[in-house]
Amino acid sequence: MKGTRKHIVLTTILVIFLILISLIVLYPIVFVVSAAFAPGNTATGLSIIPFADGFTLDHFTYLFNETNFTLWFQNTLIIAICTSALSVIVCSLAAYIFSRFKFTLKKTMLMALLVLQIFPSFVGMIAIYVIINRMHAYDQLWGLVLVYVAGNVPYNTWLVKSYLDTIPKSLDEAARIDGANHFTIFSRVVLPIAKPILIFLAITTFTGPWMDWIFPKLVLGSNEKQTLALGLFSFVTDRKDQFTTFAAGALLVAVPFIFFFVITQKQQTESLGAAAVKE
Amino acid sequence: MGTSLATDGSDRKKVLYTSLIFMGLGHIVRLKEWVKGIFFALIEVIFICFIPLICTKLYDLVNIGVDQSSITDASQRKMSTFMMIDGFVAIAFIAIFAVIYYISVKSALHSYEDYCVNGQYADNRDALRGISGKAFPIVGLTPALALIIFFVIVPLVFAAASGFTNWSNPDHIPPGGSVNWVGLENYIDMFGGNATWASSFGRIAIWTLIWGACATGTSYFAGMVMAVILNEAKIKIKPLFRAIFILPYAIPSILSMMVWKNLLNGSAGTVNRTLRAIGILGETQSIGWLSDSTMAKFTCILINLWQGFPYFMMLIAGQMTAISADIFEAAAIDGANKVQIFKSITLPMVLYQTIPLIIMSFTFNINNFGVIFFLTGGAPNVTSTTTTKAGATDIIVTWIYKLTMDDMNYKYASVLAMVVFVVLTPFAIFNFKNTKSFKEGEL
């Protein structure tokens, strides 16, 4: 009897604790959702109770009609798709070659990739700015895509290479005996087997550009060429306080993002574990 | 010249020297491999054509600060920064050429070894036919290598080099002013030579380390607690709680940070108003979440905890389910209670498995630009902020960013970037040594 009573008390405390944490976790999220539909402009003008200010869709119509929101969305989408596609192509090709061929300086190159992957991308920020200007790629979406893809190569080539190493080479050889050339083996035999890692690569490189702020700020200048992160940020700067508009935009970005996260969660959580040391 | 080579390997030196004289010569003269030889020779010819250009670029690299006031048309003046980047690109080309040269000599020696075994020259038709096969690795690697060389390596070398120049506002910013090499001056300034900068550097470096440790530690601990609770608690709505707790991880960090910033902002911020409304704060009281130097640091760690614990919660929960049920059963049979099982089985196993991830997370947090920049922007200011731009909550990364983008003080930004690199490299190497491919010697 005593045991069950103790158990009930413990469970109640746990539930209260969990609810409390949930409230803290949900607090800013609920607040943003309510702000997106609330009349007014600034965060300080809003009631502290969510949804107490009334309901309006003004911020959404403002976003679509009077700002470049759709353009920003389009830019970000183009950048994300191109970055993802190019990263998958470049990394999988390089990984395949590193995994299957023997050539001079291979070891050195692999080591170099590893060392380069240590550098945080911002270290080369200044130089990338100069190079982008030198290539006349300033304020061009493709310039940003190049920067992203190059940044993705060192780590992801290793990632895919490690995966390809686990695919038995006898498969390649069987295809080679059937008269397939390297490219056919790569595209018809190896790539289909490597699908899980390529999907993971596509997902991570696709989500990366959405909320990056440093490089778009560096490479893209004009308002029409901006990405969502830059655009949304411009609503809540020191000079401007349009928190409710920002909230509406943030909602439009975060909802698909969470959706995407839920769909790809299996791959993403698996990758979390995969990063750990497996004995 | 027409004499054939010895097949016992004694002519190795002949092949080596001929190959060294001119790229591809060994292939053509000694081994009669016309296709390969002409290909390599063409590369060298092209390179020789570019030597004058490369030399000018190298000369410019050394003399980036040359006085150009005699050139009246400003648009004809060379920019120091462009001279620098061109110089490093030229060096990159020289390096690529050297590597190809090395490969060509290796290839000639390799062909000679084949010749010794087979007793006859390789068929040139094979080389032609084999091009689609042999060229595949080259074609496949070119995009990756080109991107890495020009967008990763050259920028890094450039970044490291700018630390040895006087490239900074207001006098040494191209195109108005010129940049010149100054040796170790900036490093000396940063490590004690200039009191204001050195003290700012010390302050920021210490806070960066504290931040990295606290941000990782709190998130890991909270993640562990939540994972254990969700694992052990017998509550029906567990999946709902889990879904809620994962939300901060799924929302893009920049968005949540900007929301928190607005919630915590000033005395009229929503959090302060709420605290007043429920009576925790008096009518006129408010907490300087982001405006008080010490408080702002706590706020950064707290908000990072809000965002960071789901990652570790998911990770640890995953590791806990991966532990074999047999071990728990055995422990239960031996009479261990839940606390004992956790202490001596779950905790050590999870900890062991996640150590590399803790270290990765630490290095990530040291470089966690997003949380600091979007939450506080480095504010509040302290006395040295006017000179050095380093605020109370700035970590090295955000400081670098401010120096680069707002202050155009590239010389000091570059010194800081190098410091980050030197500090983080051991961690990265440690983690690399733990990877599977390293342990299995596949490298």
Side-chain angles (χ1 to χ4, degrees), chain A:
Chain A
M1 266 316 266
K2 211 185 163 197
T4 38
R5 241 185 74 191
K6 206 176 145 195
H7 185 80
I8 291 170
V9 173
L10 206 73
T11 313
T12 324
I13 293 172
L14 272 184
V15 170
I16 291 171
F17 177 71
L18 288 176
I19 291 174
L20 218 75
I21 302 284
S22 303
L23 285 179
I24 298 172
V25 166
L26 287 176
Y27 173 65
I29 300 169
V30 172
F31 188 80
V32 170
V33 175
S34 96
F37 296 103
N41 259 333
T42 61
T44 42
L46 293 171
S47 158
I48 54 168
I49 303 156
F51 300 106
D53 291 297
F55 181 86
T56 172
L57 288 174
D58 285 354
H59 308 307
F60 291 94
T61 46
Y62 174 80
L63 269 182
F64 285 110
N65 296 335
E66 277 158 72
T67 69
N68 282 325
F69 187 80
T70 37
L71 258 182
W72 299 334
F73 190 87
Q74 203 182 319
N75 290 338
T76 319
L77 191 67
I78 293 172
I79 293 169
I81 290 175
C82 292
T83 306
S84 174
L86 281 175
S87 300
V88 169
I89 295 171
V90 173
C91 295
S92 61
L93 253 177
Y96 172 67
I97 290 159
F98 276 125
S99 167
R100 290 300 196 268
F101 291 82
K102 281 202 175 96
F103 48 90
T104 329
L105 297 178
K106 176 179 158 179
K107 257 189 183 175
T108 324
M109 286 187 201
L110 278 172
M111 269 315 274
L113 283 186
L114 259 180
V115 174
L116 289 174
Q117 174 238 197
I118 300 169
F119 284 95
S121 54
F122 66 87
V123 173
M125 195 166 77
I126 318 152
I128 286 174
Y129 180 73
V130 179
I131 292 177
I132 287 288
N133 272 304
R134 198 81 178 104
M135 290 171 63
H136 303 289
Y138 183 72
D139 206 19
Q140 302 285 334
L141 297 186
W142 61 267
L144 191 58
V145 170
L146 277 186
V147 174
Y148 282 143
V149 176
N152 285 336
V153 168
Y155 177 74
N156 290 302
T157 302
W158 258 98
L159 194 76
V160 181
K161 185 213 168 257
S162 315
Y163 192 91
L164 294 187
D165 285 343
T166 63
I167 300 173
K169 292 186 173 75
S170 54
L171 282 174
D172 307 26
E173 265 139 41
R176 190 158 301 130
I177 292 164
D178 291 344
N181 65 26
H182 291 310
F183 187 74
T184 335
I185 296 173
F186 170 66
S187 56
R188 298 278 171 80
V189 181
V190 176
L191 282 194
I193 305 176
K195 220 167 152 190
I197 195 76
L198 295 183
I199 290 175
F200 171 72
L201 176 63
I203 291 170
T204 48
T205 50
F206 181 81
T207 49
W210 285 87
M211 282 299 132
D212 179 44
W213 195 79
I214 301 182
F215 283 113
K217 181 85 181 158
L218 197 69
V219 176
L220 306 173
S222 58
N223 192 282
E224 297 77 43
K225 288 280 170 61
Q226 285 185 351
T227 62
L228 278 172
L230 284 183
L232 289 180
F233 188 75
S234 71
F235 290 126
V236 277
T237 58
D238 298 336
R239 271 162 281 142
K240 215 154 113 185
D241 189 359
Q242 295 181 305
F243 183 74
T244 45
T245 313
F246 163 77
L251 203 62
L252 288 175
V253 179
V255 168
F257 231 83
I258 295 172
F259 215 69
F260 191 74
F261 180 82
V262 172
I263 298 169
T264 61
Q265 203 202 351
K266 203 176 143 240
Q267 273 96 358
Q268 299 215 8
T269 41
E270 266 172 17
S271 74
L272 287 179
V277 189
K278 288 277 153 65
E279 293 299 318

Side-chain angles (χ1 to χ4, degrees), chain B residues 168-329:
Chain B
S168 64
N169 226 4
D171 296 330
H172 299 288
I173 294 290
S178 66
V179 180
N180 213 343
W181 301 108
V182 292
L184 285 170
E185 217 171 81
N186 304 320
Y187 284 85
I188 293 167
D189 279 356
M190 197 58 99
F191 294 112
N194 184 320
T196 325
W197 282 92
S199 71
S200 284
F201 172 69
R203 177 168 60 81
I204 298 289
I206 290 167
W207 162 234
T208 305
L209 288 176
I210 294 174
W211 153 257
C214 289
T216 313
T218 52
S219 300
Y220 188 84
F221 180 73
M224 170 85 81
V225 170
M226 298 317 287
V228 171
I229 290 178
L230 285 180
N231 204 27
E232 294 294 323
K234 292 177 180 61
I235 312 163
K236 276 198 180 136
I237 45 171
K238 247 185 350 192
L240 176 71
F241 281 123
R242 188 174 288 132
I244 291 173
F245 294 155
I246 287 174
L247 273 177
Y249 183 69
I251 298 170
S253 160
I254 172 172
L255 295 181
S256 25
M257 286 310 124
M258 268 141 74
V259 171
W260 274 115
K261 182 187 180 168
N262 278 280
L263 291 179
L264 296 168
N265 209 358
S267 61
T270 315
V271 172
N272 272 332
R273 282 192 288 144
T274 311
L275 290 178
R276 276 197 290 267
I278 54 177
I280 292 178
L281 289 176
E283 279 302 314
T284 50
Q285 280 177 309
S286 62
I287 299 177
W289 296 104
L290 303 172
S291 51
D292 178 78
S293 295
T294 321
M295 193 62 217
K297 287 179 181 172
F298 277 112
T299 310
C300 286
I301 292 170
L302 270 179
I303 301 302
N304 183 72
L305 175 63
W306 177 87
Q307 184 190 259
F309 87 89
Y311 170 77
F312 282 117
M313 184 188 81
M314 283 156 68
L315 198 77
I316 293 167
Q319 294 291 351
M320 288 196 320
T321 49
I323 299 172
S324 157
D326 300 352
I327 304 176
F328 293 122
E329 249 169 60

